[in-house]
Amino acid sequence: MSRRKFIKQSVLGVGGIMAIQSTARCEINSEQSDSKIITDTKSMKPIVISTWNHGMDANKAAWEVLKANGTALDAVEKGVMVTESDPNNRSVGLGGLPDRDGIVTLDACVMNHENECGAVACLTDIEHPISVARKVMEDTPHVMLVGKGAYDFALEKGFPHKNLLTAEAKKAWQEWKESEDQKKPEINHENHDTIGMLALDAHGNLSGSCTTSGWAYKLHGRVGDSPIIGAGLFVDNEVGAACATGLGEAVVRIAGSHTIVELMRAGKTPQEACEEAVNRIIRKHKDLTGLQVGFLALGKNGAVGAASVYNGFNYAKTTNENHQLIDAKFNRKW
Ligand code: SD4
């Protein structure tokens, strides 16, 4: 399925959900006048939200933790592990598309309600980078390990070596190498993307996780926003949490997730904060061709925000009441 077709289907697919929502709707700007997008203003806990349609399965695993009175930290780890293990997902963990040299390299980070955080970048041959990131957070005085150091640390902690390049991903890479696009890495390739997950548990604590194989066919050694605390993910238990997906370079340039949390601290709703971050990305980039970025935010009271540069970004939201795939608000159409 082409990305364009996927986006179309995904937009149509949530039509029913949008129809039954009673929350307010608004738009980022006039370009979006024909969209029907939800602004979620209802507060609730526990709650878990995560990026893209693969978040639906990931949220189910996270919800098992949350509904049993577990911690948001456990929920956001268990949740994204589902996506990391899915061989059909082309941009996270096992089955992720490799870099230009045919090597699958993974970025991930986690942050909890006590401002503790851990990350791994350019990690190879380990199925669950999110769990290695958690070990960095819990078992070391550091925040981030990269490359061989991260891999050696993972082995030391008992994570098994695993080849993550599936036959399908290898075939796609080989076809890309032979194609005219060879010099052009692809973002959002194959209709999937990074998973970022934010949860508020029954105790009122926030945590977040983010994990990806990154930009398909990137230069070897490239690290995106996803493992960078403040860019791909940020949590402040006094205020809220945010995560990002899409073109990591653009997210890093505005320290996206931290920016959103600070905007919430200054009084913006999660929705307003996400929209401001999207608008800032647009203001700071002259060429927006293919520059898709999506943000999610979760306030301390359980209020949700979501916005993207282009249409097509959606997120999964799970509460005691619902398990839904929802279209994010967007600034412009492809
Ligand atoms: C990155 N933000 O590496 C991540 C991955 C992503 O579509 O979202 N890819 O830039």
Side-chain angles (χ1 to χ4, degrees), residues 52 91 107 186-189 192-194 212-216 218 222-227 244-249 251:
W52 303 103
S91 57
D107 296 340
E186 294 182 36
I187 203 80
N188 299 331
H189 191 87
H192 295 282
D193 217 297
T194 297
T212 190
S213 55
W215 192 341
K218 60 198 173 187
R222 179 265 187 186
V223 171
D225 60 314
S226 305
T245 179
L247 189 66
E249 281 74 359
V251 176

Side-chain angles (χ1 to χ4, degrees), residues 24-81:
R25 290 169 179 168
C26 61
E27 293 154 11
I28 295 185
N29 70 13
S30 55
E31 280 192 47
Q32 202 180 333
S33 56
D34 61 342
S35 68
K36 295 182 174 63
I37 304 294
I38 302 160
T39 299
D40 198 333
T41 52
K42 212 169 168 184
S43 294
M44 55 189 79
K45 72 175 182 195
I47 178 171
V48 57
I49 57 175
S50 62
T51 56
W52 303 103
N53 59 341
H54 51 211
M56 293 296 277
D57 285 341
N59 276 15
K60 276 189 204 159
W63 189 252
E64 289 303 310
V65 176
L66 293 173
K67 80 173 187 208
N69 226 14
T71 66
L73 177 62
D74 286 340
V76 297
E77 181 188 10
K78 293 284 178 299
V80 302
M81 284 172 74

Side-chain angles (χ1 to χ4, degrees), residues 106-121:
L106 306 174
D107 296 340
C109 73
V110 67
M111 190 160 187
N112 72 10
H113 65 287
E114 291 179 312
N115 246 55
E116 295 165 340
C117 47
V120 289

